[in-house]
Amino acid sequence: MVLCTGRPINAIWHYIEQLGLTDPADFTITFNGALVINNTSRKNLAKQGLSKTDLVPLHEFSKANDFPLDILNFDQVYPITDLVKSTYQLGGGIKFEPMTFDELPDQLYAKVVAAQKPAILDKMVAGLTPELKKTVSRCPFATAYSGILKPHNR
């Protein structure tokens, strides 16, 4: 059995333990497919993501329209402080390190989350231009539930 989730492995570790998926041959697919990781060694089997440059159009759109963004690398969450405050929360002892988009390190990112009231997220989705949809096609706006909009790469 392999668990598949949009969350980081630390956020679901208690499920992995409950299911006994802690042998060296056990893997989990995390971040909506962006990372396949060995549960015991935490070694990556496969990893893909988005660059900071990939995220620029989404940040500009969010800033111009007063929308929130949280950007996740494979270890932590970066609430983007030059935007409207997000309501995103995540368990599992995941570190949150607030910073502006300009301060964001130039590295690979697993996904982007917008967390706010559903009406605000509906407005965000409705405001995406065809060009922006094409730009963020590597992380399409796929789900909106419980006040969280998750553009992700699968």
Side-chain angles (χ1 to χ4, degrees):
M1 176 182 349
V2 175
L3 292 182
C4 301
T5 180
R7 296 181 177 271
I9 195 167
N10 292 353
I12 62 157
W13 187 251
H14 60 284
Y15 295 119
I16 291 169
E17 289 179 324
Q18 286 176 9
L19 294 168
L21 299 174
T22 55
D23 291 333
D26 291 323
F27 290 84
T28 298
I29 299 170
T30 64
F31 294 109
N32 303 321
L35 180 65
V36 180
I37 189 169
N38 181 277
N39 294 352
T40 304
S41 70
R42 305 287 174 105
K43 182 178 177 185
N44 300 335
L45 179 65
K47 184 177 183 178
Q48 64 180 15
L50 305 163
S51 70
K52 182 177 177 180
T53 302
D54 292 330
L55 299 173
V56 168
L58 186 57
H59 174 262
E60 290 173 350
F61 168 77
S62 297
K63 190 165 190 157
N65 293 283
D66 295 324
F67 297 129
L69 284 181
D70 292 286
I71 300 175
L72 290 77
N73 68 7
F74 296 91
D75 300 310
Q76 65 187 49
V77 179
Y78 297 95
I80 304 304
T81 59
D82 59 337
L83 300 175
V84 170
K85 186 171 174 56
S86 171
T87 60
Y88 188 57
Q89 298 177 353
L90 188 60
I94 305 299
K95 180 181 177 183
F96 278 68
E97 187 175 345
M99 64 180 58
T100 67
F101 188 80
D102 286 343
E103 295 170 328
L104 198 64
D106 193 13
Q107 61 183 346
L108 197 62
Y109 292 96
K111 68 179 182 179
V112 178
V113 175
Q116 196 43 265
K117 295 175 185 174
I120 293 171
L121 299 181
D122 289 344
K123 184 179 173 186
M124 187 178 197
V125 171
L128 291 173
T129 65
E131 280 185 14
L132 185 56
K133 287 179 184 177
K134 184 184 262 189
T135 300
V136 297
S137 65
R138 289 186 50 213
C139 57
F141 283 82
T143 56
Y145 62 93
S146 301
I148 298 178
L149 178 70
K150 295 182 178 181
H152 53 79
N153 23 7
R154 284 277 183 233

